[in-house]
RNA sequence: GGGCGGUUAGCUCAGUUGGUAGAGCACCUGCUUUACACGCAGGGGGCCGGCAGUUCGAGUCUGUCACCGCCCACCA
């Protein structure tokens, strides 16, 4: 390797290093290595997916954690794979078919499924390659797919087992029907949107005697399926109607009038029409009052024959218009007004969800949830930040049955067999003729729930499973806590006896710069791959970690540029060090010079800090700390001292190596490139031991350099105030000089004044004493006015500080009740500023005397 | 309707247990100092959303209001 020279080119270097990591075999976990295991299961991206900013952030976090632990000596496994994503994938292929002028029904189920597999072969899983572009060190040798044969077998087995245990059952129940998809969807796949409908009031004539009951509805067409009317039992207006009957207009059916607590007397007329088949509330009312149900909207999203000849076949919207018109004609319309309310829509197809009764398979969650609740309560699963644990618990405590069957073709087909009225749940069809398998498939999330153990070979007792289950960390944004995280915890406990991970890191959602959601359809997406092209993956990784926290953040291009600056900075720093003969020594050098002891101490303290930050997933603070350690400590001060001959190049090289090790989990590519270029280096940063410092922190060195920095800054400030060019040679004396390390002359141009009475000229106040400063060779009498005003402002500042401290101390309550050390520090300030003031005033009077 | 989170420098965000507000970018002033202009040095800029409390002391704790965002929820 040649020493670093010229510019660093991420586009050239990054793919080269990814190939080397892959070739090294290091990414393939060895369950038998005997090293402490550390595993993360990637949230499997959809097989149809392309890398978006959320993936980029989440996987950068996971990769940084994996690399951190790998360097620390753990046997790391980052489980790799993709999700078959039932709906998304089926829709994708259906679109393709549509462009060819055909559809899945024309193709038939078997050919369609084959077509999806073909699609996956040709176009699927490109995101895996994109993760490599990001530098992710997944175990690609163990890539899994949720439709793999072995994985599918695990899914079937769980379904059968949950059925045998009585948790999975079949029921005709109210489901969220997605007419676009023509499938049931789960509660979690429904989103509410505000919609303005029309609230229509309809008169239902009473059967015996005069009068009518007026009900209000936003879905007039569903009245065709009414089987009752309901009022509140507390409503005196209707007390005498309860138990009587009314006639359903247009249909003619006689309806009982029931009293039910669900009805709010304050709303509308206080009377409700009851449509058990098409409203979840009415469904419940019907159960309580043992009412029949009439399905008037079918799974095709159109009115059924039971809706009556006049309406059958219409869409609900068409039927609604016709119903209203017909009622109007019969004089039964009692009111129409616009009404805004929230309406369920399918998250997947965007269609308005049609609640209807349907024969589906459900999983009762109560028994599965109980131990999963305990796991979070007792800390076996720890959410970071902790607040998300409460969100999880609130949902889990009110968990409802999960509709797991989907009327799709792409997915895990239910292991359920029918013959006439017979139902068999099992891995295979029972003996005998005529059994047919249920055409439905399972909710994609049902299979995802098994991810942390099905990927490791369960139900076989594989070495991978034995070594790497449970995994350590699950990292995700908050949007899939219920859909996925909670279900993994439940299934993990049910089938492995313990939760699938001990920590859940919930990270930021990265928003568009304008605060909107990043989305392709809104046009607000920013393509991480383009950023990689432009700035390199290292810069993007740093930027994402640095800008993110536990809070949602707007995408901040500046952070990526900061990352890029850090790449360049380290690259150039390594050039300086190697140009000066820096090389990797067999043994760690012993720091002796002040600057060496200081930088080593700084590294030691940051290593300590970094361990705590990474353990708490505070990767933003970690990235920020890296930036400042490299820029401020190493480059701005330490390397300047090195250039001034005040540091050892061996230590400089040694510390550079430690910096590379610290930075590597965040910026893996550049750190490899730099490391390889340092003479004497061996091996890859990928498996380099973690950063360390040869020795403990050195308080004396840290204090001395802090004084050096303060002194040098004061001298630079002095020049600025006097409008002198930088590095104007100065002569410095005064009481503070003894505390100002000699090394300061290496980073700034000044001459310590050997005379005992100081250097004359200006007085510069420091926390450790005054410095007397004058411009070398200049007449002390010059610039007297400027100097006077400068001293004047210093006096002003010192007086203000003094007044503040004295004010506090004058407050008896403060002196009484504040902690002793706080009071003492105020007293110290009084002493210091008093001293400084008298020196400044002396200075002023000396000037007066001289003039 | 419930719950959660946010409101800090022009912008994007940090602020550990309450003890005189920080970073990056942007801005201003100087620097073509042979590692680096993706740089160096210096600087300006904030009643920490409003109000009221607790406290010797509040960006930090409590209450309340306002606005923004998210989640959950069966009022036609």
């Amino acid at each position: 390797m040649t020493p670093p020279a010229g510019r660093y080119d991420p586009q050239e270097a990054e793919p080269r290093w990814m190939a080397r990591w892959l070739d090294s075999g290091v990414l393939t976990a060895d369950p038998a290595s005997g090293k402490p295991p550390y595993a993360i299961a990637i949230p499997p991206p959809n097989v149809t997916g392309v890398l978006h900013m959320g993936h980029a952030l989440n996987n950068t976090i996971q990769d940084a954690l994996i690399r951190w632990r790998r360097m620390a000596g753990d046997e790391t496994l980052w489980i790799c794979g993709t999700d078959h994503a039932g709906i998304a994938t089926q829709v994708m292929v259906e679109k393709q078919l549509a462009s060819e002028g055909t559809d899945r029904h024309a193709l038939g189920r078997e050919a369609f499924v084959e077509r999806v597999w073909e699609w996956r072969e040709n176009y699927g899983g490109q995101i895996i390659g994109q993760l490599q572009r990001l530098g992710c060190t997944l175990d690609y040798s163990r890539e899994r797919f949720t439709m793999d044969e072995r994985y599918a077998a695990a899914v079937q087995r769980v379904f059968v087992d949950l059925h045998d245990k009585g948790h999975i059952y079949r029921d005709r129940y109210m489901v969220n029907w997605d007419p676009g998809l023509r499938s049931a969807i789960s509660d979690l796949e429904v989103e509410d949107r505000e919609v303005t409908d029309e609230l229509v009031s309809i008169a239902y004539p009473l059967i015996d005697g005069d009068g009518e009951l007026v009900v209000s509805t936003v879905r007039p067409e569903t009245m065709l399926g009414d089987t009752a009317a309901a009022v509140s039992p507390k409503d005196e207006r209707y007390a005498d109607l309860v138990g009587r009957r009314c006639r359903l207009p247009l249909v003619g059916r006689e309806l009982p009038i029931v009293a039910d607590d669900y009805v709010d007397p304050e709303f509308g007329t206080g009377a409700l029409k009851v449509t058990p088949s098409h409203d979840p509330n009415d469904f419940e009312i019907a159960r309580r009052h043992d009412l029949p149900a009439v399905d008037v909207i079918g799974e095709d999203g159109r009115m059924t024959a039971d809706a009556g000849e006049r309406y059958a076949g219409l869409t609900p919207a068409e039927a609604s218009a016709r119903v209203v018109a017909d009622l109007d004609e019969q004089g039964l319309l009692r009111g129409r007004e616009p009404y805004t309310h929230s309406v369920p829509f399918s998250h997947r197809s965007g269609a308005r969800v049609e609640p209807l009764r349907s024969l589906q398979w459900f999983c009762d969650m109560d028994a599965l949830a109980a131990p999963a609740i305990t796991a979070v309560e007792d800390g076996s699963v720890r959410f970071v930040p902790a607040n998300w644990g409460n969100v999880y618990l609130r949902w889990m405590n009110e968990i409802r049955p999960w509709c797991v069957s989907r009327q799709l073709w792409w997915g895990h087909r239910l292991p359920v067999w029918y013959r006439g009225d017979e139902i068999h749940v099992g891995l295979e069809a029972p003996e005998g003729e005529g059994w047919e398998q249920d055409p439905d498939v399972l909710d994609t999330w049902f299979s995802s729930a098994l991810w942390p153990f099905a990927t490791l070979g369960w139900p076989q007792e594989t070495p991978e499973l034995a070594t790497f289950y449970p995994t350590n960390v699950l990292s995700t944004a908050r949007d899939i806590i219920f859909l996925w995280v909670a279900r993994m915890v439940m299934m993990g406990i049910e089938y492995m006896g313990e939760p699938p991970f001990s920590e859940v890191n919930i990270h930021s959602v990265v928003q568009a710069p304008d605060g909107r959601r990043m989305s392709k359809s809104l046009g607000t997406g920013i393509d991480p791959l383009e950023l990689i092209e432009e700035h390199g993956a290292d810069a993007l990784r740093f930027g994402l970690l640095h800008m993110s926290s536990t809070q949602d953040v707007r995408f901040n291009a500046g952070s990526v540029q900061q990352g890029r600056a850090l790449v360049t900075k380290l690259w150039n720093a390594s050039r300086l060090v190697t140009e000066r003969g820096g090389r990797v020594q067999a043994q760690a050098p012993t720091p002796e010079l002040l600057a060496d002891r200081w930088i080593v101490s700084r590294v030691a303290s940051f290593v300590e800090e970094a361990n705590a930050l990474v353990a708490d997933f505070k990767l933003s603070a970690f990235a920020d700390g890296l930036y400042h350690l490299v820029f401020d400590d190493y480059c701005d001060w330490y390397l300047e001292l090195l250039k001034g001959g005040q540091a050892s190049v061996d230590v400089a090289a040694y510390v550079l190596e430690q910096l590379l090790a610290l930075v590597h989990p965040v910026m893996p590519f550049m750190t490899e490139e730099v490391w390889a270029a340092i003479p004497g280096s061996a091996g890859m940063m990928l498996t380099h031991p973690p950063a360390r410092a040869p020795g403990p922190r050195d308080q004396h060195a840290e204090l001395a350099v802090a004084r050096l920095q303060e002194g040098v800054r004061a001298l630079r400030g002095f020049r600025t105030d006097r409008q002198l060019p930088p590095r104007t040679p100065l002569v410095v004396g005064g009481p503070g000089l003894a505390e100002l390390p000699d090394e300061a002359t290496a980073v700034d141009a000044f001459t310590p004044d050997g005379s005992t009475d100081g250097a004359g000229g200006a007085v510069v106040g420091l926390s450790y004493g005054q410095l007397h400063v004058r411009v070398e060779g200049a007449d002390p009498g010059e610039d007297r006015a400027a100097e006077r005003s400068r001293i004047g402002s210093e006096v002003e500042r010192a007086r203000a500080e003094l007044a503040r401290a004295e004010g506090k101390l004058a407050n008896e309550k403060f002196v009484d009740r504040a902690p002793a050390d706080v009071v003492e520090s105020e007293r110290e300030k009084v002493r210091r500023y008093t001293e400084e003031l008298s020196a400044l005033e002396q200075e002023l009077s000396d000037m007066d005397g001289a003039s």
Side-chain angles (χ1 to χ4, degrees), chain A residues 561-828:
Chain A
Q561 262 143 19
Q562 213 179 326
R564 179 145 193 193
L566 180 56
V567 167
T568 307
K569 193 70 174 176
L570 262 177
W571 175 258
N572 286 315
S574 74
R575 286 175 53 198
L576 174 70
V577 172
T578 52
E579 274 170 25
R580 288 176 181 258
R583 54 178 295 115
V584 178
Q585 308 288 332
Q587 263 192 319
T590 305
E592 279 163 11
L593 300 173
L594 172 65
D596 292 334
R597 286 187 286 121
W598 170 73
I599 193 67
V600 160
S601 181
R602 287 291 304 130
V603 169
S605 86
F606 185 73
V607 165
E608 206 175 296
E609 196 185 330
N611 278 310
L613 291 174
V614 175
D616 283 338
F617 307 111
K618 292 180 178 167
L619 298 183
S620 172
F622 175 55
D624 196 57
L626 290 174
Y627 181 89
H628 288 289
L629 183 66
V630 170
F631 268 79
D632 302 348
D633 294 334
Y634 190 68
C635 293
D636 290 350
W637 291 101
Y638 178 75
L639 289 185
E640 290 307 315
L641 284 159
L642 175 74
K643 288 198 279 187
Q646 302 300 321
S648 133
V649 75
D650 286 346
V651 172
Y654 181 82
V655 169
L656 177 60
E657 177 182 349
Q658 309 316 313
L659 292 178
L660 293 174
L662 276 168
V663 173
H664 182 261
V666 176
M667 304 184 137
F669 296 110
M670 170 274 292
T671 46
E672 290 285 15
E673 188 75 357
V674 172
W675 175 237
I678 298 176
S681 69
M684 289 193 283
M685 270 291 141
L686 182 70
T687 48
H688 190 281
R692 63 204 160 91
R697 291 189 57 179
D698 185 330
Q699 305 286 355
H700 295 292
E702 294 207 27
L703 180 63
V705 172
R707 287 181 168 173
L708 181 155
Q709 290 171 331
E710 190 186 347
V712 167
R713 287 198 181 103
L715 297 180
R716 288 169 179 167
F718 169 83
R719 293 193 189 89
T720 302
D721 288 344
R722 300 280 291 260
Q723 295 184 304
L724 299 166
R727 298 189 75 83
T728 301
L730 301 174
V731 178
V732 177
L737 182 62
E739 302 295 335
L740 177 64
D742 298 341
E743 286 83 353
T745 56
V747 288
D748 199 83
F750 71 92
T751 312
D753 185 1
S755 64
T756 47
D757 58 347
V763 173
V764 175
L766 299 175
S767 63
Y768 52 87
Q770 290 88 41
L771 292 181
H772 298 176
V773 184
R774 65 182 162 80
V775 178
E776 194 174 85
D779 173 0
E782 283 174 17
D783 288 334
R784 181 145 306 179
E787 187 53 27
R788 182 164 305 184
S789 94
R790 213 189 61 78
I791 293 176
S793 67
E794 289 235 2
V795 166
E796 221 170 284
R797 205 200 60 223
R799 278 192 182 140
E801 294 292 343
L802 186 59
R804 182 199 297 267
E806 281 177 337
K808 280 197 171 186
L809 290 168
N811 182 343
E812 283 177 32
K813 288 177 174 174
F814 172 75
V815 179
D816 279 359
R817 302 188 195 178
D821 58 322
V822 173
V823 176
E824 182 47 38
S825 81
E826 293 303 321
R827 294 210 167 103
E828 164 59 29

Side-chain angles (χ1 to χ4, degrees), chain A residues 33 61 210 259 322 415 496 498 524 739 759 769 798-799 807:
Chain A
S33 72
I61 290 170
D210 290 343
R322 185 169 292 185
M496 294 298 298
E498 56 184 322
T524 49
E739 302 295 335
R799 278 192 182 140

Side-chain angles (χ1 to χ4, degrees), chain A residues 281-295:
Chain A
N281 301 307
D282 295 6
F283 182 84
E284 293 301 329
I285 294 173
R287 286 209 158 179
R288 287 195 285 272
H289 298 276
D290 200 24
L291 301 167
V294 178
D295 301 338

Side-chain angles (χ1 to χ4, degrees), chain A residues 56-68:
Chain A
L57 171 60
N58 190 210
N59 289 294
T60 297
I61 290 170
Q62 293 171 68
D63 191 52
L65 295 173
I66 283 281
R67 286 179 186 270
W68 187 261

